[in-house]
Amino acid sequence: MADPCTFCEIVGGRVPAEIVWADERTVAFVDLRQPNEGHTLVIPRRHVPDARALDEETGAALLRTALRVLQAVDRAFPSDGMSLWHSIGPGAFQEVPHLHLHILPRRTGDGLLEVYPDPPADADPATRARIAEQVRRQLDESREGP
C-alpha cells in the first residue's frame, strides 16, 4: 500500500476515533459523517480492500460484530429503519479502500441511499434464469478450486 490507510491507522491507534467495539478481528467506530445520529462503521482489523478479498473467518467475525453493533445502535437511536451496506469500488462510491460496513439509522423521507431513484422494470423470466445460471456456474467453479 503506497498511501497509509486511514482505517488501518485507526486500528493502530495512530488516528483518533470513537471506538465502540473492538475484538481480535474487528473494530467498530462512529463515522465522522452523521446524516442521522448513530452512523457507525465496522471494519476488519487487517487491511482488506473490499468484500471480494475477504476470507470466511474474517467475514463471519465482521458480520457478528455488525449484528451486535446494529442492535446496540438501534436501541440507542430508535429510528424508522436501518441501512447496513458495503460499497465496493469507485462505481459504488467506495471512498476508503478498506472494507467497511456502514450501520445507519434511517428516518422516513430522509432521502439517503435511494437505491432506485427511478425504479427499473422487472427483468423477464429468461433474463433472470440466464443471470442465475451465470452465478451458479461461478459458484460451482469456486467449489471445484483451481
Side-chain angles (χ1 to χ4, degrees):
M1 228 173 0
D3 295 324
C5 170
T6 301
F7 291 172
C8 287
E9 295 290 299
I10 288 171
V11 168
R14 295 176 294 279
V15 169
E18 289 296 332
I19 295 175
V20 299
W21 178 264
D23 60 30
E24 64 280 351
R25 290 188 184 256
T26 65
V27 175
F29 54 92
V30 175
D31 195 315
L32 291 174
R33 298 177 186 149
Q34 291 292 310
N36 293 328
E37 284 194 343
H39 186 193
T40 306
L41 302 180
V42 179
I43 67 171
R45 281 187 175 274
R46 73 176 180 81
H47 185 82
V48 177
D50 62 54
R52 296 173 293 190
L54 188 61
D55 64 272
E56 288 186 18
E57 293 78 20
T58 304
L62 193 69
L63 286 177
R64 273 193 304 274
T65 297
L67 177 60
R68 175 173 284 180
V69 173
L70 183 141
Q71 291 169 341
V73 167
D74 189 47
R75 288 189 304 271
F77 300 95
S79 61
D80 299 324
M82 298 284 282
S83 286
L84 170 65
W85 84 93
H86 165 52
S87 298
I88 300 174
F93 306 105
Q94 182 180 11
E95 295 178 312
V96 178
H98 184 125
L99 189 154
H100 53 290
L101 298 177
H102 292 260
I103 296 170
L104 178 63
R106 300 298 305 278
R107 303 275 180 262
T108 301
D110 63 17
L112 301 170
L113 304 171
E114 290 187 36
V115 177
Y116 301 120
D118 297 313
D122 291 346
D124 62 81
T127 299
R128 292 194 313 271
R130 179 182 52 77
I131 291 167
E133 180 54 34
Q134 286 179 254
V135 173
R136 282 192 291 269
R137 188 177 319 115
Q138 292 302 314
L139 288 167
D140 289 343
E141 288 176 14
S142 69
R143 215 177 298 163
E144 295 167 9

